[in-house]
Amino acid sequence: MTANDNTNGTNNSDFGIAETTVSSSSWVDTLQELDPKSFLRRFWSKSTRSDGRLFSMYRPTRVTPGILKLRTVGSSLVQMGNTQVVCGVTLLIGQPSIPNHGDVLVTVTSVSEKVESLPLQRLLTDMIDLTCLSLLHNKEAWRLQITLHA
């Protein structure tokens, strides 16, 4: 895309505007910053994302299991496009807060934005039978600790 491209068929050089090349990523960033509503409408109307993918298309995803060798019972690196998330899972034994139940603790850290861990923790707590994490009746239980770093 160049500064000379326009919709009415006139050439920008006719108006004394120098021809410059604008990269599509800087154009997208500028539109998003200056007019976020117009930015969203433009892509929603075409059912596309700002990188050109259709809504139904996913970014290439790669999962590398077992990347953390120490102090975890499981770990992985998940990559989707330019996004990378490292996940580590540890098991701790402690006194249960609810009799005959273990618990799940999720911690999420991100260098670029604030990420809320509570929805993921609630989802996992609902999916896992916490009574299966009980070890000794009302005395000991597993704590499943999940740490995500993006």
Side-chain angles (χ1 to χ4, degrees), residues 2 7 16 18-19 21 27 30 46 56 80 91 120 123 126 148:
T2 64
T7 57
E19 182 175 333
T21 302
W27 174 84
T30 302
K46 295 179 180 179
S56 60
M80 292 181 72
L91 290 171
L120 181 56
L123 175 68
D126 290 344
L148 300 163

Side-chain angles (χ1 to χ4, degrees), residues 24-25 27-33 35-55:
S24 62
S25 63
W27 174 84
V28 169
D29 293 341
T30 302
L31 179 60
Q32 183 177 11
E33 188 173 320
D35 190 359
K37 287 182 182 179
S38 185
F39 170 82
L40 291 174
R41 271 194 300 273
R42 177 181 180 92
F43 295 107
W44 275 100
S45 68
K46 295 179 180 179
S47 297
T48 62
R49 302 169 196 261
S50 60
D51 64 3
R53 286 179 294 129
L54 296 175
F55 287 152

Side-chain angles (χ1 to χ4, degrees), residues 4 12 31 35 41 45-47 58 62 67 75 79 83 85 90 94 103 108 113 115 131 135 140 143:
N4 285 345
N12 284 337
L31 179 60
D35 190 359
R41 271 194 300 273
S45 68
K46 295 179 180 179
S47 297
Y58 297 98
R62 192 169 91 204
I67 64 160
S75 64
Q79 297 170 294
T83 303
V85 177
T90 56
D103 64 353
V108 179
E113 59 188 71
V115 180
T131 61
L135 296 171
E140 289 184 350
R143 167 174 274 181

Side-chain angles (χ1 to χ4, degrees), residues 65-68 70-76 87-91 145 147:
I67 64 160
L68 302 174
L70 299 174
R71 301 188 184 123
T72 64
V73 293
S75 64
S76 63
C87 177
V89 178
T90 56
L91 290 171
Q145 186 169 318
T147 304

Side-chain angles (χ1 to χ4, degrees), residues 118-138:
L118 197 54
L120 181 56
Q121 185 167 320
R122 285 184 183 146
L123 175 68
L124 291 172
T125 300
D126 290 344
M127 291 175 60
I128 298 170
D129 180 2
L130 298 178
T131 61
C132 291
L133 299 176
S134 179
L135 296 171
L136 292 174
H137 185 69
N138 291 335

